[in-house]
Amino acid sequence: EAGVTQFPSHSVIEKGQTVTLRCDPISGHDNLYWYRRVMGKEIKFLLHFVKESKQDESGMPNNRFLAERTGGTYSTLKVQPAELEDSGVYFCASSQDRPGGGTDTQYFGPGTRLTVL
Amino acid sequence: AQSVTQLGSHVSVSEGALVLLRCNYSSSVPPYLFWYVQYPNQGLQLLLKYTTGATLVKGINGFEAEFKKSETSFHLTKPSAHMSDAAEYFCAVSDWRNTGKLIFGQGTTLQVKP
């Protein structure tokens, strides 16, 4: 069974440009999470989808970030326009959707390293 | 608010020595606690988790952790380090609303010396 995949693995863009990150969760996983790690800091939650619905987007930094999950399958995270402080590693994770799902194992992708120059 | 503190951003041990990675949490409700490991160029992988029940939790690769409510700790241990254990380790607590949102500590990089 394929794990969580993310594309691209690395992206280098200039300030003001747009970047779109993609995440493909494990098949059948209804929960999809985005996290970000800025250099030297802890991994921080960005948002949570259940199927195609945004369950919690309290961690999104500002309105330059837009996440979508079309048809409840893959998800994209768009940053437009990118700023220097957006640099970091963006992780995606997925888990099954079961009652009391807070204890379910989240399976993480390898991350996308975004560098904004 | 919930939080996680990992003492020591870098820990170095000799091969065969005890591994002890410290994690303290803050939570107003009974926590769900996790340890994840990240090997170079890979995603985070679950080592072990505590939800309810037995406070000593055994995980993969010989790691274990003990939930101590009185000390608000969830330290990770392994009796004998292997070179392959060199990685970054993250302690995390699940959000109090039990939605699955994880709150991470800063991470600890484990170096294993031959």
Side-chain angles (χ1 to χ4, degrees), chain B residues 85-99:
Chain B
D85 294 327
E88 189 164 19
Y89 292 79
F90 298 92
C91 181
V93 63
S94 184
D95 178 69
W96 67 273
R97 293 167 296 172
N98 196 23
T99 61

Side-chain angles (χ1 to χ4, degrees), chain A residues 33 35 37 56 102-103 106 109, chain B residues 43 49 88 97-100 106:
Chain A
Y33 303 84
Y35 294 88
R37 189 182 194 193
D56 180 358
T103 62
Q106 290 184 31
Chain B
K49 63 182 177 183
E88 189 164 19
R97 293 167 296 172
N98 196 23
T99 61
Q106 302 91 323

Side-chain angles (χ1 to χ4, degrees), chain B:
Chain B
Q2 291 172 298
S3 66
V4 175
T5 301
Q6 291 182 239
L7 284 175
S9 58
H10 288 82
V11 171
S12 182
V13 301
S14 297
E15 190 174 19
L18 171 72
V19 175
L20 171 60
L21 305 183
R22 299 178 186 274
C23 172
N24 289 88
Y25 69 89
S26 171
S27 178
S28 57
V29 298
Y32 298 142
L33 295 159
F34 305 79
W35 274 100
Y36 279 86
V37 60
Q38 185 182 23
Y39 299 103
N41 300 316
Q42 295 185 29
L44 279 72
Q45 178 183 2
L46 182 70
L47 273 178
L48 49 79
K49 63 182 177 183
Y50 169 79
T51 55
T52 58
T55 57
L56 181 62
V57 181
K58 294 187 184 299
I60 61 171
N61 301 337
F63 284 93
E64 62 182 35
E66 186 170 11
F67 169 61
K68 292 187 176 181
K69 183 179 178 181
S70 61
E71 298 177 9
T72 61
S73 69
F74 191 55
H75 301 331
L76 181 70
T77 60
K78 181 174 180 177
S80 176
H82 294 167
M83 297 297 291
S84 60
D85 294 327
E88 189 164 19
Y89 292 79
F90 298 92
C91 181
V93 63
S94 184
D95 178 69
W96 67 273
R97 293 167 296 172
N98 196 23
T99 61
K101 168 185 173 181
L102 295 175
I103 298 161
F104 285 90
Q106 302 91 323
T108 298
T109 298
L110 175 66
Q111 179 187 27
V112 182
K113 297 178 292 185

